[in-house]
Amino acid sequence: MTIREVMNIVDGKVLVGEDRLDAPVDTACGSDLMSDVLAFVKEKTVLITGLINPHVVRTSEMLDITCIVFSRGKMPSEEILEMAEEVGIAVISSPLTTYTACGELYLHGLPGTKPKKPVTEGA
């Protein structure tokens, strides 16, 4: 799947990365907890989140996340958009909830991520 296909499936609007819409994505992850993103995400992943702060971009950069989808129509600040542009991450805003966006992507064949290591009890 490509970022363009993701954008169409989640009825999104590209905020940054128009030139990267044909880049491939292999998996998706929906989370507002960046610690969970660190535990589950691999490269070429779409991150769907309602959390809007610079940590989302920093975490995404560390993990080579291809695209961030901000759910519920949330619009990040110019600072966040500039950070994403600098590191080459596409940013989309979607009117869908995180749950619905993840479900739609899954229904269209984009699998979720799997844990990098076994999840321990109480984690």
Side-chain angles (χ1 to χ4, degrees), residues 72-87:
R72 300 187 312 275
K74 291 193 172 184
M75 298 297 279
S77 68
E78 275 303 312
E79 173 193 11
I80 291 170
L81 293 175
E82 287 171 9
M83 287 175 65
E85 182 68 39
E86 283 177 23
V87 298

Side-chain angles (χ1 to χ4, degrees), residues 19-31:
D19 59 326
R20 294 183 278 283
L21 292 181
D22 295 318
V25 294
D26 295 336
T27 58
C29 176
S31 183

Side-chain angles (χ1 to χ4, degrees), residues 22 53 87 92 99:
D22 295 318
N53 68 42
V87 298
I92 295 171
Y99 179 81

Side-chain angles (χ1 to χ4, degrees), residues 42-63:
K42 301 170 181 116
E43 63 185 28
K44 293 186 183 174
T45 295
V46 175
L47 172 61
I48 302 101
T49 186
L51 180 65
I52 296 189
N53 68 42
H55 297 295
V56 173
V57 177
R58 289 188 190 108
T59 302
S60 297
E61 179 187 15
M62 285 174 35
L63 298 171

